[in-house]
Amino acid sequence: MPPKFKRHLNDDDVTGSVKSERRNLLEEDSDEEEDFFFVQNQVDEVIDVMQENITKVIERGERLDDLQDKSESLSDNATAFSNRSKQLRRQMWWRGCKMKALVALVAVILLLVIIIPIILKYHT
């Protein structure tokens, strides 16, 4: 049995195949044009899809930037609220202390008003 494939090609085989390939390409030029337009249409579709994807990514990035700005604003507001609540707590504590001191002072004055006449009455 002869080998199915030649292992060594000579120059005549190569030039003959190149000439036949050129002839086939020239004869099948119309198929190439159809293939070209088919491929071009696919490329155009891919370009459209990629442009759409890029637009979506840009919009997503803008939304993420907006969310980041809002979260920073919320964080700042939370910090400010915390500080104001601490100040208010201190103010209310001092107000309570002042009120207790005032009540104690009034109680002492009342006791003195009641006790001093009694003491003076027994000593006279």
Side-chain angles (χ1 to χ4, degrees):
M1 271 180 125
K4 293 182 179 180
F5 302 105
K6 292 183 181 180
R7 292 183 187 260
H8 300 286
L9 296 174
N10 58 25
D11 290 337
D12 292 335
D13 292 334
V14 173
T15 55
S17 66
V18 170
K19 287 180 184 177
S20 66
E21 184 65 27
R22 283 184 187 164
R23 188 173 41 253
N24 288 338
L25 287 174
L26 291 174
E27 289 174 359
E28 296 177 5
D29 195 26
S30 62
D31 288 341
E32 285 184 10
E33 287 179 13
E34 289 176 9
D35 291 342
F36 174 77
F37 288 120
F38 178 73
V39 170
Q40 187 63 39
N41 286 337
Q42 287 181 334
V43 168
D44 291 341
E45 288 176 12
V46 169
I47 288 173
D48 291 341
V49 169
M50 290 306 295
Q51 287 174 341
E52 213 173 288
N53 289 342
I54 289 171
T55 303
K56 288 178 183 178
V57 167
I58 290 171
E59 290 172 357
R60 181 175 176 251
E62 291 171 355
R63 286 193 307 263
L64 288 175
D65 289 342
D66 290 344
L67 285 175
Q68 184 176 4
D69 293 342
K70 288 178 183 178
S71 68
E72 288 174 0
S73 174
L74 282 174
S75 176
D76 293 342
N77 288 338
T79 302
F81 178 79
S82 176
N83 291 337
R84 282 182 289 193
S85 68
K86 287 177 185 176
Q87 288 175 348
L88 182 62
R89 189 180 313 128
R90 286 186 199 119
Q91 287 176 351
M92 296 306 288
W93 184 80
W94 278 113
R95 187 176 288 175
C97 287
K98 289 176 187 176
M99 202 55 143
K100 289 176 186 176
L102 184 63
V103 168
L105 182 64
V106 168
V108 167
I109 290 174
L110 282 175
L111 284 175
L112 289 175
V113 168
I114 293 173
I115 293 176
I116 289 180
I118 294 175
I119 293 175
L120 290 176
K121 187 177 180 183
Y122 283 117
H123 282 303
T124 51

